[in-house]
Amino acid sequence: MPDSAPDTAMFQKHFHALAANVETFIRGKSDVVRLALVCLFAEGHLLIEDVPGVAKTSLAKAIARSIAGATVKRVQFTPDLLPADVTGVQIYDQARGGFEFRQGPVFANILLGDEINRASPKTQSALLEVMAEHQVTVDGEPRPVPEPFLCIATQNPVEHQGTYVLPEAQLDRFLMRIAIGYPDEVAEEVSIIADGIARRRPEQLDPVLDLDELRTMIKTVRLLHVSAQLQDYVALITRATREHPDIQLGASPRGSIALATAAQSYAASMGREYVTDDDVKAVAVPVLSHRLLLTSEARIAKRTAKSIVEEILDGTPVPRAPERR
């Protein structure tokens, strides 16, 4: 195998080991765990949005604790949290007679942002630069964060008291938005109850991957082939979101890139060296739905971004390679 060819067999092996480890704590949610890990290896940030008590924070912790050597920091977002509490601050050192920068929790490989919509817009905006550019600027000096840098944030969509809705610009920084949902089967909830009785916590998980392996897997995803026809397909889908009558604001070119890179990661998890239209379809809803702003008429008609994305996928033909003569 040439040096430039992605080792997707090794990727798939590690991916499944990591997913299995997380699923020992997050019961009965294989599809959710898979999407979360696809987001991780696509170098994207993940927003987990769901009602209280369905293991949003536990999923984030389980992923973080499964990677040995990764610096993991957690921020509990509250209305009185300041931007400097997230990015860091300059502190005067009397002994040295100068200012010293104290790093905030964003200086980590994995940042867990719990209930991100409880912080003020000013504090939320402190994450914009670091999520997009992997650096923070303090007193005019840019400071890079460790690589890789991944933000896993949670929020509760049904509680509005003491919360601040994330603006579209910040939502667009998240590669995916996923929901966990209630257990599908009684047996799954019984297993969750048993874990609770035993006081089992995600911090108790043993790591199955180290930081260097994580970096290698991210590099593998970058090497996956995306044909010109598949790039056209991604562009047609995102363009359709801008022209749909029920959508006021469609997906941006950043959304197009996110859809393509997420499809690469999904294809790698399937052990393939190339991306297919099925990979694009598998990640389109979690990648695109939070980037769309529906019209008031669509909201009154109780249409959802998910149903509209699915409608666009059904109505967008897959471009085919030109036949050779």
Side-chain angles (χ1 to χ4, degrees):
M1 179 180 292
D3 292 340
S4 59
D7 189 352
T8 51
M10 184 60 68
F11 182 100
Q12 188 179 32
K13 176 183 175 182
H14 287 320
F15 185 97
H16 286 168
L18 183 57
N21 198 53
V22 174
E23 287 175 40
T24 61
F25 193 85
I26 307 299
R27 308 282 187 169
K29 296 295 178 182
S30 298
D31 291 343
V32 173
V33 171
R34 184 186 193 92
L35 283 174
L37 297 183
V38 164
C39 184
L40 172 75
F41 293 113
E43 300 177 88
H45 307 297
L46 178 66
L47 178 62
I48 308 173
E49 181 180 274
D50 215 325
V51 297
V54 293
K56 298 188 297 295
T57 304
S58 295
L59 173 59
K61 286 184 176 180
I63 294 172
R65 302 300 173 186
S66 297
I67 303 171
T71 307
V72 181
K73 294 184 181 178
R74 180 174 181 263
V75 179
Q76 180 66 53
F77 284 85
T78 57
D80 60 347
L81 196 73
L82 298 175
D85 296 328
V86 178
T87 59
V89 65
Q90 294 274 25
I91 296 178
Y92 185 75
D93 187 341
Q94 291 185 340
R96 297 175 54 189
F99 284 92
E100 178 183 332
F101 179 67
R102 296 288 177 88
Q103 293 182 348
V106 295
F107 288 87
N109 295 119
I110 300 177
L111 174 68
L112 307 182
D114 207 11
E115 296 186 286
I116 189 173
N117 58 333
R118 289 198 174 277
S120 68
K122 185 176 182 179
T123 301
Q124 289 177 7
S125 66
L127 285 173
L128 287 175
E129 179 187 12
V130 68
M131 289 175 69
E133 302 175 32
H134 292 196
Q135 68 174 29
V136 295
T137 302
V138 179
D139 289 344
E141 181 180 349
R143 300 175 185 272
V145 297
E147 293 289 348
F149 172 75
L150 308 160
C151 176
I152 305 177
T154 70
Q155 71 172 2
N156 173 7
V158 298
E159 186 177 353
H160 302 294
Q161 186 173 359
T163 63
Y164 302 86
V165 177
L166 291 178
E168 285 72 20
Q170 183 140 6
L171 281 174
D172 203 42
R173 295 308 200 274
F174 288 98
L175 183 83
M176 283 188 187
R177 181 182 64 182
I178 63 173
I180 297 176
Y182 293 121
D184 297 321
E185 304 291 340
V186 172
E188 295 169 358
E189 190 151 3
V190 170
S191 298
I192 294 170
I193 293 170
D195 284 343
I197 292 172
R199 306 299 192 270
R200 192 161 175 260
R201 302 177 63 81
E203 290 86 353
Q204 297 169 345
L205 290 177
D206 293 325
V208 295
L209 204 69
D210 62 38
L211 192 57
D212 286 338
E213 288 171 328
L214 173 62
R215 292 190 180 108
T216 299
M217 292 175 74
I218 287 173
K219 291 177 181 177
T220 298
V221 169
R222 295 175 185 169
L223 295 174
L224 258 69
H225 177 66
V226 185
S227 68
Q229 290 73 36
L230 260 294
Q231 293 178 41
D232 288 344
Y233 183 53
V234 168
L236 287 171
I237 291 171
T238 52
R239 185 178 182 84
T241 66
R242 302 167 202 156
E243 299 173 348
H244 197 283
D246 288 334
I247 298 177
Q248 180 179 340
L249 180 66
S252 67
R254 182 188 284 133
S256 301
I257 296 170
L259 185 55
T261 55
Q264 282 181 301
S265 184
Y266 191 90
S269 74
M270 302 295 288
R272 280 186 275 101
E273 297 179 6
Y274 56 89
V275 177
T276 69
D277 59 297
D278 287 334
D279 300 322
V280 176
K281 293 174 183 176
V283 298
V285 169
V287 169
L288 295 179
S289 60
H290 64 288
R291 304 173 194 272
L292 309 181
L293 183 62
L294 305 191
T295 63
S296 56
E297 293 82 5
R299 293 195 296 271
I300 291 171
K302 299 189 183 301
R303 298 223 60 187
T304 64
K306 177 178 182 292
S307 67
I308 294 175
V309 172
E310 290 172 344
E311 179 183 301
I312 288 172
L313 292 175
D314 290 339
T316 305
V318 181
R320 300 299 178 186
E323 296 182 2
R324 294 182 179 178
R325 295 184 179 181

